[in-house]
Amino acid sequence: MMRSKNVLLYAGLIVGLLISVFPFYWLIVMATRTTPEIYSFPPKLWFGTHLFDNIGRVFDSIDFFRSLLNTLFVAVTSTILVLFFDSLAGYTFAKFSFPGKKWLFVVLLATMMAPAQLSLVPSFVIMAKFGWVGSFKALIIPGMANAFGIFWIRQYAEESIPSELLDAGKIDGCGFFRLYWKISLPILRPALSFLGAFTFIGAWNDYLWPLIILSDERKFTLQIALASLNGIYSTDYSLVIAGTLLAVIPLIIMFLFISKQFISDIAAGAIKS
Amino acid sequence: MIKTRKSIFWLLIVVFILGGCSSSSSNPEQKTLTLWYWNRALDDKLIQAVQTQFPDVRINAQKIGGDFKSKLKTTLAGGGSGPDIVAFNDWVTELFPSSDHFYDLYELGAKDIEPDYLDWKWQLGVTPEGKMIAMPIDTGPTALFYREDLFSKAGLPTDPEEVHKQMGTWEDYFKAGQKLQQAFGGKVKLTDSISNIYSQVNAQSDKIYFDKNDNFIGESPDSSMKKAWDLAVQASQMGVLANTNMFSSEWNASMNNGKIASFVSAVWHKQILMDAAPDTAGKWRVARAPGGDGNVGGSFLAIMKTSKYPKESFEVMKWLLNSENQVTAFKDINLFPSATKALDAPVMKEKEDFFGGQSTGEIFTESARNVKPAYFGSKFGNVNGIVSRELQSVALGKDPDTAWNDALKRVKKELLR
Amino acid sequence: MGEPLRQPLEPHRPYPVTAKRKLSSEIWKHRKEYLAISPFYILFAVFGLFPILFSMYLSFQKWDGIGVMTFNGVNNYRFMLTDPEFWKAVGNTLLIWIYSTIPMLFLALIVAFLLNASFVKFRTFFRIGYFLPNVTSLVAVSIVFSTIFSNNYGLLNYILTLFGLDPVEWLSHTWGIQLAVSVMVIWRWVGYNAVIYLAGLQSIPSVLYEAAKIDGASGIQAFFRITIPNLRPIILFTVITSTIGGMQVFTEPQVLVGNDGGANGGGLTIVLYLYREAFINNYFGYGSAVGWGMFVLIALFSILNWKVVQGKGTQ
């Protein structure tokens, strides 16, 4: 009786898992097919033989590596800047007291409520006035310090950095920024790794804002390159699909490495807030 | 841990070097002209040849991806550093109110070469005040693309001339379509979509939404708007549409799978069709379109007022778009000429395997010569979008009269905006 | 302008001056702390607060981005409130939100329960598998699902024909497009929410369940009496985040059916409408007004959600 119930439970879990990963399977199947094969009905359910041919055409027709590098550049730069500014601010909020701290923190939390889409048009106009339209600056700079990250680091810093350690550091003659860099930053590493992964994934997958900002194809990030590949003159569909596969793989590999800790942190973050 | 840190460090170095090196050094003697265009708007080989043709000019050619028109407009909005030379599509008319952002090409000497180009095409780049802001690249004469094998099986004529004779009007074309669909038990549709019929009928007309003073004329009897609407609705009611929109993978799949037997479109659709439906090679033919000859698309080049080198830009444009180079561009990437001499080139009469050995160039050349000069008006795009959306809902069952009234109401509101 | 007025008042308030001096020296003492937290506030002022104020200004202007800005009164707002397409976009967004959120949270709860069963092995493996869709780019997801829902060559239609049913033209119907978008949202977010629920379930002390068992409560009773009340804050969190996310759906319909939202505008969501009006049709003033309309809607729905979930708790 008990055992059959367990079998049922497992069956449910496995069916759900299959649905979760099926689109990835389907993407790979289609990436191994020619365009007419993709368009055929009934669809081909098993792998074909044209994977390398399709991938080759992706590299021939768009500058895939450039898009990949653009994406890496934007994502890595954003991540580093976010980690630096957020950890510095979060740690300061956690470990120091100064006039107006409470109010400043309330303001910070309140800004999380402001929806980004509200200011889509004016933000664009501001970027245009700065001459940043078409440039990576517009993708990186506005987001390089964010309320969520500061909140997250503050929570972690409060629990994990012993005030005695900071006092000892002060006695040893460490200044404010040395205390941060030499003593606190190493302790914050677990929180930083989550925030870093979170920022990196977000920057990698960002679509609407780069879609508005970027214009020169040589500056496209992967998502924009992919959407434009899938755009109006796309007749070579197997190429589109192969490009999609290539754009998805790097992030998934990265995710698989960090997934265990990352998922726990997501859950913990939700429960805390 | 240390290992990963090190590897991240090296990754960073690589990213910064590669990402940061996009600015290239330039020779101070050279004048750099920035060119904005979209993929296949110009022949890349010719753009590269500009360097050798004009030794003191360096072309910084940027392909603008995504929605080119909105990218251009938003750049103008920003007032930032735009390009020197910029490509326009047939929405050139939307930029007439902003014509002071561009050089008047007549002032740079365009009058001298005006006779070399198709008049209707040339006039599309001239504002009602007589300023010429855009110079013709290619044209998009329209014709009927049809599957010879399917027409034959359905007992319809197959020879292009006879097809045109029997399907000279839209009504006859739809009737033939019903016959064709019966022959295939409904598995093959005559043509693609309600909005394409609508666009194609308007493309054959010289009076659509606006007169030269930008007054809305859609309700007047000599405008083609209502006629195009009625024909599109008729096609939908006769059931000859597959309700599949162009420029989608659905459309491509329908073509390759032989679910659609014909469609009216511009010459540049040849390339799309050849790429999208390789399995149907040899089975297609082209005939003069039902309802008459027309034009859809075809692009232009303009010089921005912010450019420091208007004279050089104009010389480069003049060279890029002269009739010999238009023949080259036609050979390289199928850009259909706007220069009259280029239309007479022998390459226009070459036989094409994809079209069963037919020389489709002859059909399109004839079509190109018969296009009526039209004025589109600065709000053409918005109005056309509104009407198309209403038509789409007719195809999905909305009452045509209600839809027509809704469309007019919405258009009038749009014009007051 | 205010200076000459203020000056004569100063001598009458000696005390605040010294307090001010104290405060300013306090602030000076902590200048490094302020410096450390300043980047966020500077960035927010420039790229957050200023755009919001500016968008208020813009929403009363008529501006195509190229010509001159002209004051337009409340015309943008009037146009918005009387534009059937705006209301269609609002309706579509709500429908897609309902179609997606309810099954999504329900499925996530089920997955969380299954994963929480004491005997389940490879829990980490399952969690990763379920979470994977969430890190995949929306553009890629939309392209893949467009081939699944395709009218002509879609996998879903193939499955229908296997069961002897007729193929459906999903992407030619309003509901078909909305269904496709909702399925994408569900697929992408079930794992995410399940992981959060699972953490919530694991934080419920097992003592509570044991006590209930001793009192003779059945499994179902325990579920409604213990699990749900303890999960409520977490459910509220997921409902609010999915509301905010649901109001901002853009990429899925834009990649799937284009800027017009496809057949009958079935995929025209509010953000897509805003994007089209501002960045495709170049009505920048109007786009700002739509932004405010959207803000009001999100606020209303967040409050409504909060009330609903809270209300259930007080029963």
Side-chain angles (χ1 to χ4, degrees):
Chain A
M1 176 61 204
M2 203 54 205
R3 285 195 70 179
S4 68
K5 201 176 146 199
N6 289 3
V7 169
L8 215 66
L9 268 172
Y10 269 116
L13 273 178
I14 288 166
V15 168
L17 188 69
L18 288 180
I19 294 173
S20 259
V21 296
F22 177 79
F24 298 103
Y25 165 80
W26 188 237
L27 176 59
I28 299 170
V29 167
M30 285 189 302
T32 61
R33 295 284 176 177
T34 64
T35 302
E37 280 172 345
I38 294 174
Y39 286 157
S40 65
F41 193 88
K44 306 270 186 292
L45 302 175
W46 192 245
F47 304 104
T49 54
H50 292 86
L51 180 64
F52 293 103
D53 173 45
N54 290 337
I55 289 176
R57 269 178 302 123
V58 172
F59 288 119
D60 287 345
S61 66
I62 61 164
D63 204 338
F64 184 83
F65 276 119
R66 186 177 270 275
S67 293
L68 183 69
L69 281 175
N70 289 342
T71 312
L72 269 177
F73 177 76
V74 171
V76 168
T77 319
S78 305
T79 306
I80 292 171
L81 290 170
V82 164
L83 288 183
F84 176 70
F85 288 119
D86 283 3
S87 63
L88 187 57
Y91 147 84
T92 307
F93 270 120
K95 286 288 150 192
F96 294 86
S97 59
F98 44 88
K101 173 172 147 177
K102 224 180 217 164
W103 277 107
L104 285 168
F105 197 68
V106 169
V107 168
L108 181 123
L109 290 184
T111 64
M112 283 205 258
M113 305 290 188
Q117 274 74 11
L118 173 61
S119 48
L120 202 56
V121 176
S123 296
F124 171 78
V125 176
I126 290 165
M127 293 304 151
K129 290 281 177 256
F130 286 179
W132 288 3
V133 170
S135 121
F136 293 149
K137 275 181 254 173
L139 305 187
I140 296 167
I141 291 174
M144 68 188 180
N146 64 64
F148 165 75
I150 295 173
F151 172 77
W152 175 259
I153 300 284
R154 189 195 85 130
Q155 298 287 94
Y156 191 86
E158 261 179 351
E159 291 165 11
S160 61
I161 303 177
S163 298
E164 298 79 31
L165 199 61
L166 294 179
D167 293 339
K170 268 181 211 160
I171 291 165
D172 286 352
C174 280
F176 181 83
F177 290 99
R178 262 180 79 89
L179 277 181
Y180 158 72
W181 190 256
K182 290 277 171 188
I183 296 177
S184 308
L185 212 52
I187 301 176
L188 290 174
R189 191 181 290 150
L192 289 177
S193 66
F194 168 72
L195 182 62
F198 188 80
T199 311
F200 188 88
I201 293 173
W204 184 284
N205 287 338
D206 199 10
Y207 179 64
L208 177 55
W209 185 238
L211 178 72
I212 291 168
I213 289 296
L214 300 176
S215 48
D216 187 349
E217 283 185 359
R218 283 172 295 191
K219 290 226 162 160
F220 275 8
T221 57
L222 274 179
Q223 306 309 324
I224 310 302
L226 200 56
S228 106
L229 202 60
N230 188 42
I232 58 170
Y233 288 105
S234 74
T235 42
D236 193 345
Y237 208 55
S238 52
L239 180 156
V240 175
I241 299 288
T244 309
L245 180 65
L246 289 178
V248 161
I249 286 176
L251 198 64
I252 288 191
I253 291 175
M254 193 198 96
F255 172 73
L256 290 179
F257 276 108
I258 59 157
S259 53
K260 200 179 163 192
Q261 191 55 45
F262 184 76
I263 293 172
S264 315
D265 284 338
I266 283 260
I271 287 177
K272 267 182 205 160
S273 30
Chain B
M1 196 62 214
I2 288 171
K3 237 183 176 175
T4 43
R5 245 211 277 176
K6 241 187 184 166
S7 55
I8 288 173
F9 173 76
W10 284 113
L11 180 72
L12 279 182
I13 298 284
V14 170
V15 164
F16 275 97
I17 291 171
L18 291 167
C21 69
S22 54
S23 62
S24 49
S25 59
S26 61
N27 183 345
E29 308 260 307
Q30 280 186 331
K31 293 165 180 167
T32 301
L33 302 181
T34 304
L35 163 70
W36 275 20
Y37 68 121
W38 59 92
N39 196 22
R40 301 182 60 83
L42 288 166
D43 186 349
D44 290 342
K45 284 184 201 156
L46 283 174
I47 293 175
Q48 293 200 324
V50 168
Q51 239 81 302
T52 41
Q53 188 71 25
F54 300 89
D56 58 335
V57 163
R58 202 182 76 85
I59 288 267
N60 171 20
Q62 299 188 358
K63 280 188 187 176
I64 304 300
D67 195 302
F68 184 89
K69 176 171 69 174
S70 66
K71 288 287 174 208
L72 173 66
K73 283 192 176 180
T74 42
T75 303
L76 292 175
S81 59
D84 297 274
I85 308 176
V86 60
F88 296 157
N89 210 331
D90 55 357
W91 36 259
V92 53
T93 169
E94 288 179 36
L95 294 170
F96 284 177
S98 339
S99 61
D100 52 346
H101 282 86
F102 307 97
Y103 275 98
D104 181 355
L105 301 178
Y106 277 144
E107 284 173 11
L108 295 169
K111 265 276 186 282
D112 303 339
I113 50 170
E114 184 165 353
D116 299 347
Y117 293 84
L118 288 166
D119 183 56
W120 62 266
K121 172 75 186 183
W122 185 273
Q123 295 306 330
L124 287 175
V126 180
T127 69
E129 298 84 44
K131 270 167 76 177
M132 183 193 180
I133 63 165
M135 194 163 152
I137 304 178
D138 63 324
T139 57
T142 57
L144 173 71
F145 293 76
Y146 66 97
R147 283 278 298 268
E148 192 242 17
D149 56 328
L150 299 181
F151 270 35
S152 154
K153 268 183 213 154
L156 296 175
T158 55
D159 176 67
E161 285 202 16
E162 278 171 46
V163 167
H164 181 57
K165 218 178 274 168
Q166 194 178 324
M167 297 167 217
T169 67
W170 287 98
E171 287 88 346
D172 290 342
Y173 172 57
F174 301 153
K175 262 181 225 147
Q178 282 184 317
K179 192 175 162 194
L180 177 130
Q181 290 185 184
Q182 266 164 15
F184 290 100
K187 289 218 163 118
V188 178
K189 292 282 185 183
L190 172 70
T191 189
D192 51 4
S193 72
I194 192 163
S195 46
N196 190 42
I197 303 275
Y198 179 75
S199 317
Q200 293 300 336
V201 177
N202 279 331
Q204 297 165 351
S205 148
D206 54 352
K207 292 187 183 65
I208 311 161
Y209 300 127
F210 298 99
D211 67 11
K212 283 216 166 186
N213 300 317
D214 270 339
N215 296 315
F216 181 63
I217 55 164
E219 286 168 294
S220 95
D222 40 326
S223 141
S224 61
M225 180 183 171
K226 180 75 166 114
K227 187 184 143 204
W229 173 282
D230 288 339
L231 283 170
V233 169
Q234 189 187 342
S236 175
Q237 285 169 343
M238 287 169 79
V240 294
L241 304 175
N243 292 338
T244 301
N245 287 323
M246 282 174 168
F247 313 118
S248 68
S249 60
E250 295 293 330
W251 192 89
N252 298 343
S254 304
M255 291 303 158
N256 198 46
N257 297 345
K259 288 198 174 163
I260 294 175
S262 70
F263 62 97
V264 176
S265 190
V267 59
W268 40 258
H269 233 120
K270 237 164 58 174
Q271 190 67 47
I272 296 177
L273 185 64
M274 282 152 72
D275 291 343
D279 291 356
T280 59
K283 296 174 178 165
W284 289 90
R285 300 289 182 276
V286 172
R288 304 278 290 281
D293 299 312
N295 177 75
V296 173
S299 36
F300 301 85
L301 284 182
I303 305 172
M304 303 261 307
K305 261 281 158 65
T306 48
S307 169
K308 278 186 251 162
Y309 310 111
K311 287 214 177 81
E312 290 80 359
S313 300
F314 183 69
E315 289 309 313
V316 167
M317 269 164 57
K318 219 165 83 174
W319 181 80
L320 270 176
L321 304 177
N322 70 24
S323 56
E324 294 95 86
N325 282 334
Q326 289 207 358
V327 174
T328 312
F330 177 74
K331 277 190 221 160
D332 287 349
I333 60 165
N334 255 328
L335 285 184
F336 202 80
S338 58
T340 43
K341 248 190 237 157
L343 288 176
D344 297 327
V347 65
M348 306 302 301
K349 298 187 179 65
E350 261 172 28
K351 297 192 187 325
E352 293 146 88
D353 292 338
F354 189 86
F355 296 93
Q358 186 192 0
S359 149
T360 64
E362 290 180 28
I363 307 273
F364 287 113
T365 307
E366 195 53 34
S367 175
R369 291 188 200 281
N370 291 320
V371 177
K372 297 176 198 159
Y375 178 73
F376 288 92
S378 59
K379 288 227 174 180
F380 181 90
N382 290 356
V383 171
N384 206 47
I386 290 166
V387 184
S388 299
R389 292 201 285 275
E390 282 296 340
L391 266 179
Q392 300 259 14
S393 56
V394 171
L396 294 172
K398 186 168 178 177
D399 173 58
D401 295 329
T402 320
W404 171 255
N405 289 330
D406 287 351
L408 277 185
K409 225 194 301 176
R410 181 66 175 76
V411 166
K412 282 174 189 162
K413 237 177 112 182
E414 182 76 17
L415 298 177
L416 291 175
R417 234 169 139 181
Chain C
M1 205 181 91
E3 285 307 308
L5 271 178
R6 217 181 282 157
Q7 257 168 357
L9 290 176
E10 290 281 339
H12 299 287
R13 299 190 305 175
Y15 179 70
V17 173
T18 52
K20 239 186 226 168
R21 210 162 273 159
K22 243 187 181 170
L23 186 67
S24 60
S25 75
E26 244 336 74
I27 290 176
W28 180 247
K29 223 174 86 192
H30 292 284
R31 60 191 182 280
K32 282 177 182 158
E33 281 88 334
Y34 290 114
L35 182 66
I37 61 165
S38 62
F40 169 77
Y41 294 93
I42 294 169
L43 287 172
F44 180 73
V46 179
F47 301 109
L49 189 63
F50 178 66
I52 289 174
L53 299 177
F54 187 38
S55 101
M56 184 57 101
Y57 171 78
L58 266 180
S59 72
F60 293 104
Q61 304 289 322
K62 179 177 176 167
W63 190 40
D64 65 353
I66 306 174
V68 280
M69 239 183 248
T70 50
F71 182 69
N72 201 18
V74 293
N75 280 341
N76 286 330
Y77 289 98
R78 190 182 297 150
F79 189 96
M80 175 173 85
L81 295 177
T82 55
D83 185 17
E85 281 201 297
F86 171 75
W87 291 110
K88 186 192 270 176
V90 171
N92 289 342
T93 309
L94 290 182
L95 280 176
I96 290 171
W97 174 71
I98 291 170
Y99 294 159
S100 57
T101 305
I102 294 171
M104 171 181 87
L105 295 182
F106 186 66
L107 288 172
L109 260 179
I110 293 179
V111 170
F113 268 105
L114 295 181
L115 282 176
N116 196 37
S118 51
F119 59 86
V120 168
K121 299 215 171 68
F122 314 113
R123 202 174 277 154
T124 311
F125 168 76
F126 278 116
R127 286 206 309 179
I128 293 172
Y130 279 108
F131 202 85
L132 202 54
N134 196 252
V135 295
T136 311
S137 99
L138 274 175
V139 179
V141 170
S142 306
I143 291 174
V144 173
F145 275 78
S146 75
T147 67
I148 292 178
F149 279 92
S150 160
N151 294 347
N152 282 294
Y153 54 92
L155 183 66
L156 201 56
N157 275 342
Y158 172 64
I159 295 171
L160 288 184
T161 55
L162 284 186
F163 288 102
L165 299 165
D166 283 334
V168 174
E169 298 202 318
W170 302 99
L171 300 182
S172 301
H173 294 282
T174 307
W175 55 267
I177 294 169
Q178 289 170 354
L179 184 81
V181 171
S182 305
V183 167
M184 278 190 250
V185 174
I186 295 171
W187 178 75
R188 198 159 189 270
W189 291 98
V190 162
Y192 171 88
N193 286 298
V195 161
I196 291 175
Y197 287 152
L198 179 61
L201 287 175
Q202 285 170 341
S203 71
I204 299 173
S206 53
V207 193
L208 290 177
Y209 290 104
E210 280 153 25
K213 224 175 214 172
I214 292 166
D215 291 348
S218 70
I220 293 167
Q221 273 173 325
F223 175 80
F224 282 107
R225 295 275 163 80
I226 299 171
T227 314
I228 290 287
N230 275 292
L231 273 186
R232 187 173 306 117
I234 292 165
I235 293 178
L236 180 65
F237 171 83
T238 56
V239 168
I240 287 180
T241 43
S242 355
T243 308
I244 295 173
M247 294 297 132
Q248 304 187 352
V249 169
F250 168 79
T251 311
E252 296 95 331
Q254 203 255 355
V255 176
L256 189 69
V257 285
N259 291 336
D260 273 335
N264 260 346
L268 189 70
T269 59
I270 308 180
V271 180
L272 185 52
Y273 177 79
L274 191 161
Y275 170 76
R276 189 188 79 190
E277 292 298 314
F279 295 99
I280 304 294
N281 293 340
N282 294 93
Y283 291 115
F284 285 111
Y286 184 64
S288 302
V290 175
W292 280 101
M294 213 180 104
F295 174 73
V296 170
L297 280 173
I298 293 182
L300 279 179
F301 272 89
S302 300
I303 294 168
L304 200 73
N305 273 322
W306 194 67
K307 287 257 155 157
V308 168
V309 179
Q310 288 295 79
K312 264 194 194 142
T314 51
Q315 277 174 6

